[in-house]
Amino acid sequence: MKQTKVGAVMTADVVRAGYDTPFKEVARLLAEHRIGGLPVVDEEAHVIGVVSESDLMAHQAKAPLPYEPARRFRFPSLTPTARRYAAKARARTAGGLMTPSPVTVRADESVAEAARTMVRRHVDRLPVLDEDDRLVGIVTRRDLLKVFLSTDEALREKVIREVVENGLWLSSRAVDVFVAEGVVTLRGRLERRSEAEAAVSMARKIDGVVAVVDQLGHRVDDSRLKPESAAAHGGGEDWLRRL
């Protein structure tokens, strides 16, 4: 199945900062471009960290109020998290503010893989790297949602082409495909149960499909057939490998 790659939906013109970029310049970049964070890169465009609005807020939260009395005693921060928070509160550059070891994605990875990474790592944006680990773009949750902007008719044609014709090697009329608001309904009667299951599985993997309604029937239940029996019915390992 052909899936949309991150490189096709990412923003190539990336707002970025260097390790020594001053605090105020980082704040200006975030405000001017209306973004919630930006990557920090070294001289060779390798991503070394990410600065977010929350990192800047940590700095501001630690600033003393005009009427607040000076603290005479400061207890050392014991936990790693507390120490990192205190360091960011004193930071004056992007290098001090940033979160190191950022979560990244490759330009040739699929949109689905990038979405899973975002959900698993609880991030809203991912710096995109090329084969040399250099920054070439950035992708946000909003970018990943672009795959759902295809029209129902375009999505229907894609399901027929990639699932029915190229996936199952059947005539385009072998399965009735209906699409409404991104929900794909498959109707018809195929020869084998495995074909029907494969059609539903492949349709679900197409970019832009919200859900699949399975209304497919089958003539032969080959789910319990031995491999030699499946081959006798026209199945076999070659057909399974194409899935």
Side-chain angles (χ1 to χ4, degrees):
M1 302 297 298
K2 294 181 180 179
Q3 293 185 302
T4 303
K5 302 300 182 181
V6 171
V9 299
M10 72 181 187
T11 298
D13 186 15
V14 188
V15 180
R16 65 189 74 186
Y19 188 90
D20 295 324
T21 300
F23 177 98
K24 291 190 68 174
E25 176 64 11
V26 173
R28 185 192 68 79
L29 289 171
L30 294 179
E32 182 178 306
H33 295 277
R34 298 182 180 182
I35 53 179
L38 53 78
V40 182
V41 298
D42 62 16
E43 295 179 353
E44 297 182 346
H46 294 134
V47 181
I48 56 177
V50 172
V51 174
S52 67
E53 290 176 321
S54 60
D55 295 323
L56 273 67
M57 292 301 295
H59 184 284
Q60 291 301 96
K62 282 292 185 177
L65 298 173
Y67 52 81
E68 185 179 26
R71 299 179 183 178
R72 298 192 177 188
F73 302 100
R74 292 183 180 272
F75 294 98
S77 300
L78 300 179
T79 67
T81 300
R83 285 197 294 271
R84 286 195 299 271
Y85 188 84
K88 289 184 180 183
R90 297 189 299 269
R92 298 182 180 180
T93 65
L97 291 165
M98 73 180 188
T99 299
S101 302
V103 183
T104 60
V105 67
R106 299 276 182 182
D108 60 356
E109 289 186 40
S110 71
V111 165
E113 290 171 323
R116 284 192 288 268
T117 298
M118 282 188 180
V119 172
R120 185 173 63 252
R121 301 299 295 272
H122 305 288
V123 294
D124 296 325
R125 65 191 63 81
L126 293 169
V128 183
L129 310 182
D130 63 11
E131 60 275 8
D132 297 318
D133 291 334
R134 290 187 173 87
L135 180 68
V136 293
I138 195 161
V139 65
T140 66
R141 293 183 181 231
R142 180 175 298 178
D143 295 326
L144 300 184
L145 291 176
K146 290 179 182 177
V147 298
F148 292 100
L149 300 181
S150 298
T151 64
D152 287 343
E153 182 56 32
L155 200 55
R156 177 179 178 275
E157 293 176 359
K158 192 172 184 180
V159 171
I160 292 174
R161 182 178 64 254
E162 297 191 12
V163 175
V164 182
E165 297 179 338
N166 298 340
L168 299 178
W169 293 1
L170 298 174
S171 164
S172 60
R173 292 175 292 182
V175 176
D176 293 325
V177 180
F178 304 91
V179 182
E181 299 297 328
V183 177
V184 176
T185 299
L186 302 178
R187 295 176 185 168
R189 187 175 180 83
L190 298 179
E191 182 65 25
R192 294 180 292 274
R193 176 177 177 177
S194 57
E195 286 181 316
E197 292 175 344
V200 173
S201 177
M202 287 188 287
R204 284 175 177 155
K205 294 177 181 178
I206 291 180
D207 293 329
V209 171
V210 176
V212 176
V213 178
D214 179 10
Q215 295 183 356
L216 291 172
H218 55 271
R219 296 181 179 84
V220 177
D221 185 354
D222 58 347
S223 59
R224 296 184 180 181
L225 293 180
K226 295 181 180 180
E228 56 269 20
S229 300
H233 284 80
E237 295 181 358
D238 290 340
W239 184 84
L240 291 174
R241 275 197 290 268
R242 289 194 280 108
L243 303 182

